[in-house]
Amino acid sequence: MAKKKNLRQMTSLVAMTNPRSPISEQYRTIRANIENAMMKMDVKTILVTSPGAGEGKTMTLANLAVVFAEQGKRVLVIDSDMRKPSLHLRFSSGNSPGLSNVLTGENKLEEVIRETGVHNLNLVPSGGLPSNPSELLSSNRMKELLDKASDMYDLILFDSPPSLYVADGQVLARYCDGAIIVLRNKQTDYKAAIKTKNLLDNTSTSILGAVLNDQEKYKMDHYYSAIPMK
């Protein structure tokens, strides 16, 4: 069962495995919407979150990272979900050492950056699972890591835990220029989506918009669209 799940996670990186598919084109449309926001504000660090689990947050982040990298941008994805990490599976990578090991002083950032198989795209996995992820994310080492990474990359994408479960996403939002909320059609509760937006509104980050997964259209299996959050 675990092997089948891992296979689904890796093959869901459609922007890499099937770049000409309609779904990949939808990710490019979302990329264009994000770039429009970037023209109005200085956006280099983006938090990708969702109200709850299973709404496609990690899948969305990984595919967006691929389409940004194909433009020639130097992209770093950081798995800051140090409770239930899965970003490393998308790129068939190991999970340790990673972010938690840098934040505890065991490793330097350069030692945990991994290749992904996509040109211009690197990964920092979550690393070992600590007992105090929120405290690590709010530490001085986190700020130092981000300062160093910002000098090395054009765009940094953070994968965070679901925002309504733990405070990690709100902590991360302090470091990010913008945030994207990922929702799933027929699954995400409207009140949960609004509560997530309100939580992010209380931070210094700007909400760039939302991505709606699994919206059926024209008999496509899955359809992805960007919608504004107002």
Side-chain angles (χ1 to χ4, degrees):
M1 181 66 71
K3 288 184 178 180
K4 289 183 179 180
K5 182 178 179 181
N6 290 351
L7 179 60
R8 285 200 305 271
Q9 289 171 325
M10 288 183 285
T11 55
S12 67
L13 196 53
V14 64
M16 182 171 71
T17 59
N18 192 2
R20 295 185 179 181
S21 70
I23 296 175
S24 296
E25 287 302 320
Q26 288 301 318
Y27 281 118
R28 294 188 183 95
T29 298
I30 297 170
R31 178 188 67 191
N33 290 337
I34 295 172
E35 289 175 329
N36 288 337
M38 287 177 164
M39 294 177 65
K40 301 173 185 177
M41 63 183 81
D42 186 16
V43 177
K44 189 169 187 177
T45 52
I46 298 177
L47 173 72
V48 181
T49 190
S50 62
E55 292 169 316
K57 164 182 58 65
T58 301
M59 174 185 65
T60 298
L61 178 147
N63 282 285
L64 283 176
V66 171
V67 296
F68 270 109
E70 71 182 14
Q71 276 190 327
K73 286 185 172 63
R74 297 169 299 167
V75 181
L76 179 67
V77 290
I78 299 179
D79 193 344
S80 50
D81 187 345
M82 293 184 286
R83 300 172 188 268
K84 194 175 180 181
S86 63
L87 186 58
H88 63 288
L89 298 175
R90 309 287 170 171
F91 299 101
S92 304
S93 173
N95 193 45
S96 188
L99 176 62
S100 64
N101 304 95
V102 176
L103 298 183
T104 55
E106 299 171 56
N107 293 90
K108 297 180 180 179
L109 174 62
E110 297 87 341
E111 296 172 339
V112 303
I113 293 175
R114 297 171 183 251
E115 300 291 333
T116 63
V118 178
H119 185 57
N120 291 323
L121 176 57
N122 291 143
L123 161 72
V124 171
S126 74
L129 305 186
S131 59
N132 57 339
S134 292
E135 288 74 17
L136 289 179
L137 291 173
S138 61
S139 66
N140 288 332
R141 283 200 178 104
M142 183 65 192
K143 186 178 184 305
E144 292 168 1
L145 178 152
L146 188 54
D147 288 343
K148 182 176 290 188
S150 295
D151 290 335
M152 300 166 62
Y153 294 92
D154 301 312
L155 180 65
I156 302 170
L157 300 172
F158 286 94
D159 187 15
S160 80
S163 289
L164 297 187
Y165 289 3
V166 292
D168 299 10
Q170 296 172 68
V171 173
L172 280 166
R174 303 172 193 166
Y175 302 106
C176 295
D177 304 314
I180 296 171
I181 303 173
V182 178
L183 314 170
R184 187 174 293 280
N185 188 41
K186 298 180 180 179
Q187 175 177 326
T188 305
D189 180 73
Y190 174 79
K191 291 182 179 179
I194 295 302
K195 186 174 182 180
T196 299
K197 175 186 178 297
N198 292 339
L199 287 173
L200 292 175
D201 281 340
N202 291 329
T203 70
S204 57
T205 193
S206 298
I207 299 178
L208 303 178
V211 175
L212 181 63
N213 284 326
D214 287 353
Q215 180 184 350
E216 295 180 3
K217 186 175 182 181
Y218 304 127
K219 298 183 179 181
M220 289 170 56
D221 290 336
H222 298 283
Y223 182 80
Y224 304 84
S225 59
I227 56 176
M229 293 288 287
K230 296 186 178 181

